Amino acid sequence: MEQSSSKQVPSGRRREKDLLGEAWVPAEAYYGIQTQRARENFDLSGVRLSLFSQLIKALALVKMACAKANNRLGLLDDSKADAIEAAGRMLLDGRYHDQFIVDMIQGGAGTSTNMNANEVLANIGLEYLGYQRGEYAHLHPNNDVNMSQSTNDAYPTAVRLAIVLKHGELVQALASLRDAFAAKSEEFADIIKMGRTQLQDAVPMTLGQEFRSFASTLGEDIERIAGLSDLLKEVNLGGTAIGTGINTDPEYAQLAVGYLSQLSGFEFKRASDLVEASSDMGAFVLFSGMLKRLAVKLSKIANDLRMLSMGPRCGLNEINLPPQQPGSSIMPGKINPVIPEAVNQVAYQVIGNDIAITLAAEAGQLQLNAMEPLIAYNVLESIRMLTQAMDMFRNRCVRGITANAEVCQAMVDRSIGIITAVNPYIGYENATRIAKQALESGRGVLELIREEGLMSEAELNEVLKPANMIRPRRRTTASPVPSVPEPVQDLVPAGQ
């Protein structure tokens, strides 16, 4: 940063000072000198705080709650408290978010983020009071906006609130995707196909059952994600530097948390042990683990859809994915499953984020975890990417899937796996022998059963009704047909 001892003010700049000395800040900026230093120090991810509007709003709500508590205790006068609240409401309205310029990855356990918020709120508040930006004698970033706070309690509280604010979008996207799969399960309810285990033919099922399983596995996570977000509503606000509450009034913590609940609309509670809560990142690890679980499920579903649609002429081709773009610069007519592929890649990124969160949570030392900015960045980024990926998946893929019913039926008709349906009626040995003969000769399983008279036509028709092959049913026939013995092999070598 450019230093200056001159009293002459460069055009378009204002001079501010901090612990390290004086420096020039852009005159139009609502941030100040500490934000400027952080901007120059941390050019790492290229992702600024401004990308995560919920984090900015959460910071505003925390500062507003603290100002209300300090005002209630007579520590902050009415005019300053009003100015901080007015500035905070402007941030809640989406204004001035471009002034949050610090990189999401930063040293200092989040101090740069906290000071970015303090300085922006102070300068907006100064204008509200009729002063110029930078005239901190009338509303100071540290003395007033950060009163009774430390980065170590204000920042983690804001991160928790940001996740709570953001997670609602994630749950909504998840519920909508689940509903899209559920709708397809109804649409495909009568289409018989072969199920597969270990990529081999298994037993018949319906395409609707397959899509219902996608809906069910996603639906399981809705309540779990919502439940885990409750863990994030326990905050260390009022603990200040290490959880001891130094520089706060005895009533401050309870007041600040109460105002935060009132302003945010979520029921926050003060952690029972503020020292522990200032260093432990366990809630983030659990929540990230749930995001990873969702990512794994989405990736598995995307893999299944890509496999079921493979071909179209030389693969399974049981379903058609809606075409979104040409698939090759050299192969005319080729269409690739680009949407599921993109979902896979988002899932891999979320899994990687979870590893980073795990390592950062483990890296905490003594009374603080200095790696919390990385935790905040990766949790919020995972939520953002998963939300967008699920919306894309639903709108650009799932809704437009169609079924190739004839292909599905043809595979059932020629599958050896259908032998499982008649196994209880002809016996395991007969079923094994018929399956082997069908595999070696290329003939159909049902053709061989009819040829040997193992079941009557009426029995076969009953057993092979689609409705009877895809769910439990009560058996009405007696014991299986006795097996036909295989020819006995001569175990004695010729000539002996």
Side-chain angles (χ1 to χ4, degrees):
M1 183 185 301
E2 177 186 347
Q3 306 290 324
S4 175
S5 59
S6 171
K7 298 298 182 182
Q8 183 179 358
V9 179
S11 175
R13 297 194 182 186
R14 67 174 187 267
R15 187 170 60 185
E16 293 192 8
K17 62 180 180 180
D18 64 4
L19 172 68
L20 299 184
E22 296 184 347
W24 299 108
V25 176
E28 74 279 4
Y30 285 86
Y31 57 81
I33 185 172
Q34 292 201 44
T35 302
Q36 178 84 343
R37 292 192 191 282
R39 180 187 199 177
E40 295 171 355
N41 285 334
F42 309 122
D43 186 12
L44 298 171
S45 69
V47 177
R48 309 301 177 191
L49 300 177
S50 56
L51 178 65
F52 298 101
S53 63
Q54 303 292 7
L55 178 57
I56 297 172
K57 292 177 180 179
L59 287 162
L61 287 166
V62 170
K63 299 298 177 179
M64 291 164 67
C66 294
K68 280 181 170 292
N70 286 317
N71 178 248
R72 172 79 174 271
L73 295 167
L75 303 173
L76 187 69
D77 67 44
D78 289 348
S79 65
K80 290 182 177 180
D82 289 345
I84 294 171
E85 182 171 359
R89 295 205 175 278
M90 293 181 200
L91 294 181
L92 294 179
D93 289 339
R95 300 173 61 186
Y96 302 106
H97 285 203
D98 62 334
Q99 298 299 301
F100 286 78
I101 61 171
V102 175
D103 199 294
M104 285 294 293
I105 298 178
Q106 55 193 254
T111 297
S112 298
T113 295
N114 188 40
M115 285 309 302
N116 197 161
N118 289 334
E119 291 173 344
V120 170
L121 286 165
N123 282 305
I124 297 172
L126 283 169
E127 288 190 338
Y128 176 82
L129 294 171
Y131 298 103
Q132 297 294 314
R133 277 164 272 180
E135 293 186 323
Y136 297 134
H138 305 287
L139 186 65
H140 196 277
N142 294 83
N143 298 337
D144 299 318
V145 181
N146 200 63
M147 180 183 287
S148 303
Q149 302 156 59
S150 164
T151 291
N152 301 345
D153 67 336
Y155 175 68
T157 298
V159 171
R160 282 166 165 76
L161 175 53
I163 294 171
V164 171
L165 290 170
K166 190 72 176 171
H167 109 285
E169 299 175 13
L170 176 73
V171 170
Q172 181 57 55
L174 175 55
S176 297
L177 181 59
R178 174 205 58 191
D179 293 346
F181 277 115
K184 285 296 171 182
S185 75
E186 296 296 327
E187 182 181 338
F188 302 151
D190 297 326
I191 298 176
I192 291 290
K193 59 158 287 176
M194 283 304 298
R196 299 175 180 86
T197 57
Q198 296 164 274
L199 299 182
Q200 306 299 304
D201 296 351
V203 296
M205 66 184 303
T206 67
L207 190 60
Q209 287 175 316
E210 192 161 28
F211 273 71
R212 171 61 65 180
S213 74
F214 298 153
S216 296
T217 194
L218 295 176
E220 290 175 351
D221 287 2
I222 294 175
E223 289 187 6
R224 289 186 174 94
I225 290 175
L228 281 178
S229 72
D230 289 338
L231 292 175
L232 299 168
K233 295 174 185 173
E234 182 179 278
V235 297
N236 70 329
L237 192 60
T240 63
I242 63 171
T244 61
I246 189 172
N247 292 345
T248 65
D249 184 278
E251 298 180 30
Y252 166 79
Q254 203 63 46
L255 282 172
V257 173
Y259 281 125
L260 182 62
S261 298
Q262 184 183 96
L263 290 166
S264 68
F266 298 102
E267 191 62 37
F268 285 91
K269 63 178 181 179
R270 186 180 61 169
S272 58
D273 186 333
L274 294 178
V275 173
E276 183 272 344
S278 296
S279 61
D280 178 62
M281 301 289 109
F284 295 119
V285 173
L286 282 173
F287 191 79
S288 176
M290 192 67 225
L291 298 179
K292 178 178 71 173
R293 168 188 158 106
L294 174 58
V296 169
K297 289 186 174 189
L298 289 170
S299 189
K300 191 271 183 187
I301 293 171
N303 288 339
D304 285 354
L305 295 185
R306 290 195 293 128
M307 190 169 293
L308 292 173
S309 66
M310 65 185 290
R313 297 292 179 86
C314 302
L316 293 182
N317 191 33
E318 293 185 350
I319 62 172
N320 306 302
L321 303 183
Q324 296 297 340
Q325 61 190 58
S328 175
S329 61
I330 190 174
M331 293 175 279
K334 192 171 189 291
I335 303 293
N336 293 328
V338 293
I339 301 302
E341 289 171 351
V343 171
N344 286 131
Q345 292 172 73
V346 167
Y348 306 151
Q349 183 63 58
V350 171
I351 293 168
N353 289 349
D354 179 69
I355 293 173
I357 290 164
T358 302
L359 293 174
E362 184 274 337
Q365 297 166 323
L366 304 178
Q367 280 70 58
L368 185 65
N369 190 309
M371 312 303 167
E372 192 166 353
L374 182 64
I375 294 174
Y377 172 41
N378 281 322
V379 173
L380 290 170
E381 179 69 355
S382 290
I383 293 174
R384 186 183 72 88
M385 292 188 72
L386 283 171
T387 301
Q388 294 183 174
M390 287 190 291
D391 285 340
M392 173 195 69
F393 203 14
R394 182 184 79 255
N395 292 324
R396 295 188 174 274
C397 182
V398 178
R399 283 179 171 173
I401 293 174
T402 57
N404 294 323
E406 296 81 4
V407 172
C408 293
Q409 184 64 58
M411 288 191 179
V412 172
D413 292 342
R414 69 172 180 263
S415 172
I416 294 173
I418 204 171
I419 194 69
T420 303
V422 299
N423 177 45
Y425 304 93
I426 67 174
Y428 189 82
E429 288 78 8
N430 280 334
T432 302
R433 180 175 51 77
I434 291 293
K436 181 180 179 183
Q437 289 178 15
L439 185 63
E440 292 175 347
S441 67
R443 298 174 66 189
V445 165
L446 302 184
E447 177 187 356
L448 293 171
I449 290 174
R450 291 186 180 101
E451 185 176 281
E452 293 192 12
L454 296 175
M455 293 179 69
S456 70
E457 196 65 29
E459 289 173 327
L460 277 175
N461 290 338
E462 180 64 21
V463 171
L464 298 178
K465 283 181 180 178
N468 292 336
M469 289 193 295
I470 62 172
R471 62 178 61 92
R473 68 183 293 262
R474 197 175 299 278
R475 282 177 53 190
T476 58
T477 59
S479 58
V481 176
S483 61
V484 177
E486 294 279 358
V488 177
Q489 299 294 322
D490 187 356
L491 301 179
V492 181
Q496 295 189 21

